[in-house]
Amino acid sequence: MADFLLVHGAWHGGWCWRRVVAILAGQGHRVFAPSLTGLGDRAHLLSPEVGLATHVEDVLAVIEAEELRDLVLCAHSYGGAVATQVADRVPEKIGALVFLDALLPQDGRSLLDLDTPERREAILSRVAETPRGPVLPPAPAALYALAAPEDVAWVDRRCVPQALRTYSDPAVLTGAWMQIEVLAYACTLRFPAPDFRDIAARLARDPRFTIHELASGHDAMIDVPDDVADLLLGCAEAARAGGRDEARATADGTACATVAGSPS
């Protein structure tokens, strides 16, 4: 059995992994899907002090408290900025690092720094000042190209504002996370923004990564939870079986192969 730690994206909470958690836990695996500070069931903890480093510490605390080893760490969207720094701090505890339509941070730069000036201006124009500090209001769930209208309504209902500092604080990285034996990046095909497909195309030139595609909207854990669970299980198996070489070999086989759901 394997341990899985799932990191959600911006405005979401641990709730968004509910379907994937049920699949993995139903097969006897241990699965942790914490809500980051100020989000999900921890929205009441939003404060001016919450920043990117806060979320990194949130995930590190789960690893420490649950004494996790050889875990599969999976990050969605904004969660990539969190999980990469977590993996950089404790690479020896992680068997596989999986990015799901996820952002990749750079040392000394914030997520806003990585955007074009035009996009950065557009993001900052949406900032709302609140008693708990400046926040970014959630994007409409319709943008995520989810297949089911009821899922769009669910995501809109559950998403909450996120602390601006999570996007404006610089990341701290040494590069140690690249030691992890199994590194995988999965991009979704129905999400209209090309950002994550561009990242996947860039990483496809790096032999340390296996690249996967999911025929879903951006919130693949909601849209195609069975396919996401299969991807995670495959990467867990690759980590157990021999790490990076096994992941490359099975990318053309079955254990960690490209996953495609049913287009809607």
Short mmCIF file of all heavy atoms in Angstrom, two decimals, residues 2 4 23-24 27 29 72 226-240 255-256:
data_model
loop_
_atom_site.label_atom_id
_atom_site.label_comp_id
_atom_site.label_asym_id
_atom_site.label_seq_id
_atom_site.Cartn_x
_atom_site.Cartn_y
_atom_site.Cartn_z
N ALA A 2 0.36 2.32 -0.57
CA ALA A 2 1.14 3.55 -0.71
C ALA A 2 0.49 4.68 0.07
O ALA A 2 -0.69 4.64 0.43
CB ALA A 2 1.25 3.91 -2.19
N PHE A 4 -0.36 8.76 -0.17
CA PHE A 4 -0.56 9.84 -1.14
C PHE A 4 -0.86 11.13 -0.39
O PHE A 4 -1.68 11.15 0.54
CB PHE A 4 -1.72 9.51 -2.07
CG PHE A 4 -1.49 8.30 -2.93
CD1 PHE A 4 -1.85 7.04 -2.49
CD2 PHE A 4 -0.91 8.42 -4.19
CE1 PHE A 4 -1.64 5.91 -3.27
CE2 PHE A 4 -0.70 7.31 -4.98
CZ PHE A 4 -1.06 6.04 -4.52
N ILE A 23 -11.40 6.75 -4.17
CA ILE A 23 -10.89 5.65 -5.00
C ILE A 23 -9.64 5.04 -4.38
O ILE A 23 -9.53 3.82 -4.22
CB ILE A 23 -10.60 6.15 -6.42
CG1 ILE A 23 -11.89 6.57 -7.12
CG2 ILE A 23 -9.88 5.07 -7.24
CD1 ILE A 23 -11.66 7.39 -8.39
N LEU A 24 -8.68 5.89 -4.00
CA LEU A 24 -7.42 5.39 -3.47
C LEU A 24 -7.60 4.74 -2.10
O LEU A 24 -7.07 3.66 -1.83
CB LEU A 24 -6.40 6.53 -3.38
CG LEU A 24 -5.99 7.16 -4.71
CD1 LEU A 24 -5.08 8.36 -4.47
CD2 LEU A 24 -5.30 6.14 -5.61
N GLN A 27 -8.99 1.30 -2.05
CA GLN A 27 -8.05 0.22 -2.37
C GLN A 27 -7.05 -0.02 -1.25
O GLN A 27 -6.10 -0.77 -1.42
CB GLN A 27 -7.32 0.55 -3.68
CG GLN A 27 -8.24 0.64 -4.88
CD GLN A 27 -7.48 0.89 -6.17
OE1 GLN A 27 -6.33 0.50 -6.32
NE2 GLN A 27 -8.13 1.55 -7.12
N HIS A 29 -5.14 2.34 0.38
CA HIS A 29 -4.03 3.28 0.51
C HIS A 29 -4.35 4.36 1.54
O HIS A 29 -5.52 4.65 1.81
CB HIS A 29 -3.75 3.94 -0.85
CG HIS A 29 -3.41 2.96 -1.93
ND1 HIS A 29 -2.21 2.28 -1.98
CD2 HIS A 29 -4.14 2.52 -3.00
CE1 HIS A 29 -2.20 1.48 -3.03
NE2 HIS A 29 -3.37 1.60 -3.67
N VAL A 72 3.74 9.55 -2.45
CA VAL A 72 3.45 10.18 -3.74
C VAL A 72 2.85 11.54 -3.43
O VAL A 72 1.79 11.64 -2.82
CB VAL A 72 2.47 9.34 -4.57
CG1 VAL A 72 2.12 10.07 -5.86
CG2 VAL A 72 3.07 7.98 -4.87
N ASP A 226 -11.13 8.82 -11.80
CA ASP A 226 -10.57 7.48 -12.02
C ASP A 226 -9.25 7.57 -12.77
O ASP A 226 -8.29 6.84 -12.44
CB ASP A 226 -11.56 6.62 -12.80
CG ASP A 226 -12.77 6.22 -11.96
OD1 ASP A 226 -12.58 5.54 -10.96
OD2 ASP A 226 -13.89 6.61 -12.33
N ASP A 227 -9.17 8.45 -13.75
CA ASP A 227 -7.94 8.60 -14.52
C ASP A 227 -6.82 9.20 -13.67
O ASP A 227 -5.66 8.81 -13.78
CB ASP A 227 -8.19 9.46 -15.75
CG ASP A 227 -9.11 8.80 -16.76
OD1 ASP A 227 -9.24 7.56 -16.71
OD2 ASP A 227 -9.71 9.50 -17.58
N VAL A 228 -7.18 10.17 -12.83
CA VAL A 228 -6.18 10.75 -11.94
C VAL A 228 -5.67 9.70 -10.95
O VAL A 228 -4.46 9.59 -10.71
CB VAL A 228 -6.75 11.97 -11.20
CG1 VAL A 228 -5.78 12.47 -10.13
CG2 VAL A 228 -7.06 13.10 -12.19
N ALA A 229 -6.59 8.92 -10.39
CA ALA A 229 -6.17 7.86 -9.46
C ALA A 229 -5.27 6.85 -10.16
O ALA A 229 -4.26 6.41 -9.59
CB ALA A 229 -7.41 7.17 -8.88
N ASP A 230 -5.60 6.47 -11.40
CA ASP A 230 -4.76 5.54 -12.15
C ASP A 230 -3.36 6.11 -12.37
O ASP A 230 -2.36 5.38 -12.26
CB ASP A 230 -5.40 5.22 -13.51
CG ASP A 230 -6.59 4.28 -13.40
OD1 ASP A 230 -6.76 3.66 -12.33
OD2 ASP A 230 -7.35 4.18 -14.38
N LEU A 231 -3.29 7.38 -12.69
CA LEU A 231 -1.99 8.03 -12.88
C LEU A 231 -1.16 7.97 -11.60
O LEU A 231 0.02 7.62 -11.62
CB LEU A 231 -2.20 9.48 -13.31
CG LEU A 231 -0.96 10.36 -13.36
CD1 LEU A 231 0.01 9.87 -14.43
CD2 LEU A 231 -1.33 11.82 -13.63
N LEU A 232 -1.80 8.30 -10.47
CA LEU A 232 -1.08 8.29 -9.20
C LEU A 232 -0.64 6.89 -8.80
O LEU A 232 0.47 6.68 -8.32
CB LEU A 232 -1.96 8.91 -8.11
CG LEU A 232 -2.33 10.38 -8.31
CD1 LEU A 232 -3.25 10.86 -7.20
CD2 LEU A 232 -1.08 11.25 -8.35
N LEU A 233 -1.52 5.93 -9.01
CA LEU A 233 -1.16 4.53 -8.69
C LEU A 233 -0.02 4.05 -9.57
O LEU A 233 0.88 3.34 -9.11
CB LEU A 233 -2.39 3.63 -8.87
CG LEU A 233 -3.49 3.80 -7.82
CD1 LEU A 233 -4.76 3.12 -8.28
CD2 LEU A 233 -3.03 3.25 -6.47
N GLY A 234 -0.04 4.44 -10.84
CA GLY A 234 1.04 4.05 -11.73
C GLY A 234 2.37 4.63 -11.31
O GLY A 234 3.41 3.96 -11.36
N CYS A 235 2.36 5.89 -10.89
CA CYS A 235 3.60 6.52 -10.46
C CYS A 235 4.09 5.95 -9.13
O CYS A 235 5.29 5.83 -8.91
CB CYS A 235 3.41 8.03 -10.38
SG CYS A 235 3.21 8.80 -12.00
N ALA A 236 3.15 5.57 -8.26
CA ALA A 236 3.54 4.90 -7.02
C ALA A 236 4.21 3.57 -7.32
O ALA A 236 5.23 3.21 -6.71
CB ALA A 236 2.31 4.68 -6.13
N GLU A 237 3.66 2.84 -8.28
CA GLU A 237 4.24 1.55 -8.67
C GLU A 237 5.62 1.75 -9.29
O GLU A 237 6.56 0.97 -9.03
CB GLU A 237 3.31 0.84 -9.65
CG GLU A 237 3.83 -0.51 -10.13
CD GLU A 237 4.03 -1.50 -9.00
OE1 GLU A 237 3.32 -1.42 -7.99
OE2 GLU A 237 4.92 -2.37 -9.16
N ALA A 238 5.76 2.77 -10.12
CA ALA A 238 7.07 3.05 -10.72
C ALA A 238 8.10 3.38 -9.66
O ALA A 238 9.25 2.95 -9.75
CB ALA A 238 6.94 4.20 -11.71
N ALA A 239 7.71 4.14 -8.64
CA ALA A 239 8.62 4.48 -7.56
C ALA A 239 9.06 3.23 -6.79
O ALA A 239 10.24 3.07 -6.45
CB ALA A 239 7.97 5.49 -6.61
N ARG A 240 8.11 2.34 -6.55
CA ARG A 240 8.45 1.10 -5.83
C ARG A 240 9.33 0.18 -6.68
O ARG A 240 10.20 -0.52 -6.17
CB ARG A 240 7.18 0.35 -5.44
CG ARG A 240 6.43 0.94 -4.27
CD ARG A 240 5.41 -0.06 -3.71
NE ARG A 240 4.41 -0.41 -4.70
CZ ARG A 240 3.25 0.22 -4.84
NH1 ARG A 240 2.96 1.24 -4.05
NH2 ARG A 240 2.38 -0.16 -5.76
N ALA A 255 2.10 0.88 -16.31
CA ALA A 255 2.10 1.32 -14.91
C ALA A 255 1.94 2.83 -14.77
O ALA A 255 1.26 3.31 -13.90
CB ALA A 255 3.40 0.87 -14.22
N CYS A 256 2.61 3.59 -15.61
CA CYS A 256 2.54 5.06 -15.49
C CYS A 256 2.33 5.66 -16.86
O CYS A 256 2.95 6.63 -17.24
CB CYS A 256 3.82 5.58 -14.83
SG CYS A 256 3.68 7.21 -14.10
#
